[in-house]
Amino acid sequence: MNFLKKELENIKNKGQYRELTYLKGSQNKYCSFEDKKVLLMASNNYLGLCDDERIKKVSKDAIDNYGVGSGGSRLTTGSYDIHKKLEEEIAILKNREAALLFNTGYMANIGVITSICNKEWIIFSDEFNHASIIDGCRLSGAKIVVYKHSDMKDLKQKVKLYKGAKRIIITDGVFSMDGDIAKLPDIIKISKDNDIWVMVDDAHATGILGEKGSGTEEYFGLKGQVDIQVGTFSKALASEGGYVAGSYELIEYLKNKARSFIYSTALSPIVVSAALKALYIIKKDNNLRKNLLNNSKWFQEELKERGFCILESETPIIPLLVGDEDKAMKFSKMLFEEGIFIPAIRPPSVPKDTSRLRITLMATHIKEDLNFVLDKISYVFKKLK
Ligand SMILES: Cc1ncc(COP(=O)(O)O)c(C=O)c1O
């Protein structure tokens, strides 16, 4: 066991030791971290639906109707009508023939990549793809070709260099740490010109991008062009669980092959019914999404006007670049003292010297909240210098 201690010391010495902090109450714009009330500017609960009364009610009803656990894997005793209903609804939102639920977005990526790709495959993967894509690629045994982040010239060159009958490009739809949107029109063109599959992980785009909140494809007007759609209900959809959407054959194949689907107990009816209700809400009401994105635009302009270096985005994810790890940590800590929670994101989650505050907006934030944050960020930044 000595090596565990040594490795922990090693992590501490590098300043990369991670610890859990505990929230009290629901995931809303005001929450308490160990008795300190703060304004939350860091949640993936983008539409503020985690604490929505309509969603809480259906989850309570689900307990009365189904109990709390699903009791088995989907292929044994764990499939309920609401699992099927949620799969049908997400397939409709994604404009696909069918969909399959996984227990998390992480498991969806692992399941789909490892069941399709093997050592005969070449995977072209954006360097900023989420860890679950990276892990899925590694586990699959395929040849992994990483292209520079959203660099279409690099992707094209690598596609020319690495030939083969079984090739796939995998990208996040919205990149989680940078908030930018994948260059899907270019990716689709490269894939069509070279007969390559495309898989998009729309974890941060579903419910956010596109007129109906369908995601990156809809945002670019490219409906139906992506071969494999992956996502999660854990962000804008305020619940839990991942999904893959695609052709009927793809989904049947995954039911038979994806180990993270086959060998895991089905999602609890509580979270499934919550996700289903959230889907209904976002389908009916696109004002939540529109206000959120307008606020994000406004907030970014204000930050720029105050001289901050941000990565501009068309999403609710706004990275405020700090660079130095320690400075980013201190910035975050001082904001916390001032009543605002924005975590510092450091390597290995982001490249060296790009440590940042990852600000995310929620639909429940109003201008008054955002002005408060702007003032505090300016105040703390001056003190930091
Ligand atoms: C791009 C991306 N894909 C997948 C996941 C994993 O989803 P889940 O939290 O449902 O496991 C996340 C975040 O958690 C993500 O940011």
Side-chain angles (χ1 to χ4, degrees), residues 109 112-114 116-117 121-130 132-134 136-138 140 142-147 150 152 155 167-173 175 182 184 187 191 196-201 226 228 230:
N109 274 327
V112 69
I113 298 170
T114 57
I116 290 176
C117 301
W121 281 74
I122 298 167
I123 300 174
F124 300 96
S125 176
D126 188 290
E127 72 172 317
F128 285 2
N129 274 345
H130 187 258
S132 53
I133 294 178
I134 296 170
C137 293
R138 288 178 182 162
S140 74
K143 165 88 188 154
I144 305 163
V145 179
V146 175
Y147 60 92
S150 274
M152 294 299 107
L155 174 59
R167 297 188 292 172
I168 185 168
I169 302 168
I170 306 183
T171 182
D172 281 13
F175 291 88
L184 197 57
I187 291 173
S191 80
I196 305 177
W197 284 19
V198 175
M199 172 177 140
V200 171
D201 175 354
V226 168
I228 304 171
V230 179

Side-chain angles (χ1 to χ4, degrees), residues 104-106 109 130 132 172 176 201 203-204 232 234-235:
T104 61
Y106 191 103
N109 274 327
H130 187 258
S132 53
D172 281 13
S176 53
D201 175 354
H204 295 271
T232 176
S234 66
K235 306 194 190 295

Side-chain angles (χ1 to χ4, degrees), residues 229-359:
Q229 291 266 3
V230 179
T232 176
F233 298 104
S234 66
K235 306 194 190 295
L237 292 160
S239 182
E240 273 182 29
Y243 61 84
V244 175
S247 68
Y248 174 75
E249 284 79 19
L250 170 71
I251 299 309
E252 289 304 299
Y253 179 88
L254 293 177
K255 282 180 195 166
N256 285 280
K257 291 279 225 179
R259 292 171 67 83
S260 60
F261 168 79
I262 299 169
Y263 298 107
S264 192
T265 298
L267 282 168
S268 155
I270 305 169
V271 294
V272 173
S273 54
L276 200 48
K277 187 68 182 177
L279 268 186
Y280 288 141
I281 290 172
I282 67 149
K283 274 186 184 179
K284 270 200 178 151
D285 178 6
N286 55 15
N287 281 330
L288 275 179
R289 186 163 56 249
K290 283 188 175 155
N291 290 342
L292 173 69
L293 296 180
N294 283 339
N295 271 352
S296 177
K297 226 183 219 169
W298 176 84
F299 191 70
Q300 291 179 54
E301 286 307 316
E302 291 293 318
L303 279 170
K304 280 193 300 179
E305 221 160 83
R306 288 166 201 240
F308 288 104
C309 179
I310 58 165
L311 297 177
E312 283 182 62
S313 87
E314 290 178 62
T315 70
I317 304 169
I318 307 166
L320 192 160
L321 288 180
V322 181
D324 179 70
E325 278 182 50
D326 291 340
K327 195 170 172 190
M329 286 300 285
K330 209 165 161 203
F331 203 161
S332 165
K333 225 172 160 184
M334 286 166 74
L335 281 171
F336 187 79
E337 294 308 317
E338 295 294 327
I340 296 167
F341 185 79
I342 310 175
I345 310 286
R346 306 171 283 158
S349 301
V350 291
K352 197 169 172 283
D353 299 327
T354 72
S355 290
R356 64 198 64 182
L357 298 186
R358 180 180 180 267
I359 304 169

